[in-house]
């Protein structure tokens, strides 16, 4: 009986081993490259660049006594002039954030969403709003322009009537 010998080709085995090693090194290199790339990505975080909350509201002398709606549409801010100075108030209801409207005849702000009412200082006089309207930081530049910063807010009586939330001015 003739014996059948199983003969393997040593050359083809060597090639397949070499191919396997290449594949393994390639996979390792791809893994390390991906890890390095994602680590580097952390050095450049996603940042949302928002426009500045500061704006120039123009010459102080241009504001008449009372509530000015001049910047309401563009900046959502009322400029309020009193006998002794001015302040800026953010037009955002402290209930759920709607924009109140000023009613000159009633001398009050009314929120159209759930009926909160605020007096000209921003204090709640009716409705569900839990806090007074926010006063913005305001200052007068050397040339007489009012600079309003909506990023710095105050609504506590006793604080909001003073700098930097109030600019003293008498014409
Ligand atoms: S958002 Fe103004 S009363 Fe609700």
């Amino acid at each position: 009986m003739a014996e059948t010998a199983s003969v393997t080709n040593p050359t083809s085995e060597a090639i397949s081993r070499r191919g396997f090693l290449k594949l393994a090194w390639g996979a390792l290199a791809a893994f390390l490259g991906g890890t390095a790339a994602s680590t580097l990505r952390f050095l450049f975080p996603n940042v949302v660049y928002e426009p500045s909350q500061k704006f120039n509201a123009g010459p102080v002398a241009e504001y008449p006594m009372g509530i000015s709606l001049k910047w309401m549409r563009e900046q959502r801010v009322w400029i309020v002039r009193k006998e002794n100075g001015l302040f800026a108030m953010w037009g955002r209801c402290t209930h759920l954030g709607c924009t109140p409207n000023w009613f000159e005849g009633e001398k009050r702000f009314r929120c159209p969403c759930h009926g909160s009412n605020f007096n000209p200082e921003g204090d709640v006089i009716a409705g569900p709003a839990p806090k007074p309207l926010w006063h913005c930081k305001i200052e007068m530049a050397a040339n007489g322009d009012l600079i309003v910063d909506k990023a710095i807010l105050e609504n506590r009586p006793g604080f909001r009537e003073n700098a930097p939330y109030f600019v003293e001015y008498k014409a």
Side-chain angles (χ1 to χ4, degrees), residues 9-80:
N9 183 346
T11 311
S12 70
E13 189 177 302
I15 289 171
S16 71
R17 187 178 301 138
R18 193 176 299 136
F20 173 77
L21 283 175
K22 273 186 186 172
L23 192 67
W25 280 114
L28 182 64
F31 170 75
L32 292 176
T35 305
S38 32
T39 303
L40 281 176
R41 182 68 186 80
F42 278 107
L43 297 177
F44 305 97
N46 294 326
V47 178
V48 178
Y49 293 100
E50 294 185 356
S52 170
Q53 296 296 297
K54 220 177 205 183
F55 69 96
N56 185 329
V60 64
E62 285 185 1
Y63 287 94
M65 210 61 74
I67 313 287
S68 168
L69 308 182
K70 182 178 178 183
W71 294 100
M72 200 53 206
R73 185 179 291 269
E74 199 176 313
Q75 296 288 345
R76 206 180 181 189
V77 164
W78 297 287
I79 305 291
V80 184

Side-chain angles (χ1 to χ4, degrees), residues 93-100 110-118 127-129:
C93 181
T94 52
H95 181 222
L96 293 177
C98 291
T99 305
R110 285 174 176 270
C111 183
C113 293
H114 312 99
S116 287
N117 283 214
F118 305 88

